[in-house]
Amino acid sequence: MTPFRLWVYLQTTPLFWLTATLAAFLVADALAKAAGRRPIVNHVLIAIALLGGLLKLTGTDYQTYFNGAQFVHFLLGPATVALGVPIYADFALVRRNVWPLAAALLIGATVAIASAVLVAKAFGAPRAILIALAPKSITAGVAMAVTEALGGAPPLTAVLVIATCILGAVIVTPLMDALGVTDYAARGFAVGLASHGIGTARAFAVDPVAGVFAGLAMGLNAIVTPAVIPALLPWLIG
Amino acid sequence: MIRGFFILLAFQLVGEVAARGLALPAPGPVIGLALLVVALSLYQRWRPLDEETLAESDLGKAARGLLAALPLLFVPAGVGVVQYMGLLREQGLALAVALVVSTIATLLVTVGVFLLVKRLTGARGEA
């Protein structure tokens, strides 16, 4: 078999791009680890950049790539359901703080959606961008599902979600210290709601109580934002 | 592990059927997630379910395994951004400003409301 025919063969099986996806992730994760897991060096973003570069280099279209990578992508569904387990485990905390949590959750989730969409709209961003931006404060799997249900572009959402994640993790500590907020439950809840995953990791690094409340906010917002967006978005986009 | 994975898939399936069948606006997996939380709460009334028992159950193990790999699972969809590079470049400024403003506003409002309501209701939480 000539190298060219071998390559053509590899393109037709899912094996090559599935393996490449795991390889890119492992390389990206090693890089993030070497950088001391600073929020700005995000392994998901690096893996996406590596694979994007590889597609361009080899002239492969996204559909061919996805034929292989879909096996990883499929697991996002059951993984989203699996978030129910840690959310349930944190429910004791909800019962003790039910009113502050409920109020902060509903108002915070609404501000997260509305502020992003309205600012981008003021800049004249097209509808596709506004839809992709709306769920940016929730965990990527759920956010992409929300965008897809609204007829938007899930990949745009994935990138915006990760950018939000990094921003929140970088901003939260200096902002809260400057304001003199010493209630770590409140600080954690705010960062988990605004910037989910990395925000939560950041909160755990600062204070264990902040970490638990950040995880709780991330979980609850993954339920509230998908429920709020379909009602809020038509009104915001107009 | 297989039983745990079955439970997760079954809840996703019910969530998808409910989302499409009832034309609910929320995505199927999210409805599955909410139903799983409700089911665990109901189960607890019937039989005590502490955190450790749940973590060591088939469901707990399957969930932990999948959630540990969660960042990897975002990658295939994320690579799809190669189809939107032009749009991203074109809207780069709008997106950067929207994300920064929105993240700061969300942090401030959430922490403010949390503290205000906590003070008003005198909630007993770890501070």
Side-chain angles (χ1 to χ4, degrees), chain A residues 93-180:
Chain A
L93 281 173
V94 177
R95 276 185 219 111
R96 248 176 293 156
N97 296 275
V98 65
W99 293 115
L101 288 180
L105 178 63
L106 287 177
I107 298 174
T110 307
V111 169
I113 300 160
S115 60
V117 171
L118 291 179
V119 170
K121 196 183 168 193
F123 274 87
R127 196 183 160 79
I129 289 280
L130 300 181
I131 292 177
L133 196 54
K136 59 112 178 73
S137 279
I138 56 174
T139 184
V142 180
M144 287 192 288
V146 169
T147 302
E148 193 165 23
L150 292 169
L156 275 181
T157 295
V159 173
L160 296 173
V161 161
I162 296 165
T164 305
C165 214
I166 296 171
L167 267 175
V170 173
I171 294 171
V172 65
T173 302
L175 182 70
M176 295 298 164
D177 284 347
L179 290 170

Side-chain angles (χ1 to χ4, degrees), chain A residues 11 19 21 23 30 34 42 55 63 83 114 138 169 171 208 210-211 214 217 221 237:
Chain A
Q11 293 277 42
T19 313
T21 301
N42 179 267
L55 290 185
Q63 197 49 53
L83 285 170
I138 56 174
I171 294 171
N221 202 15
I237 294 183

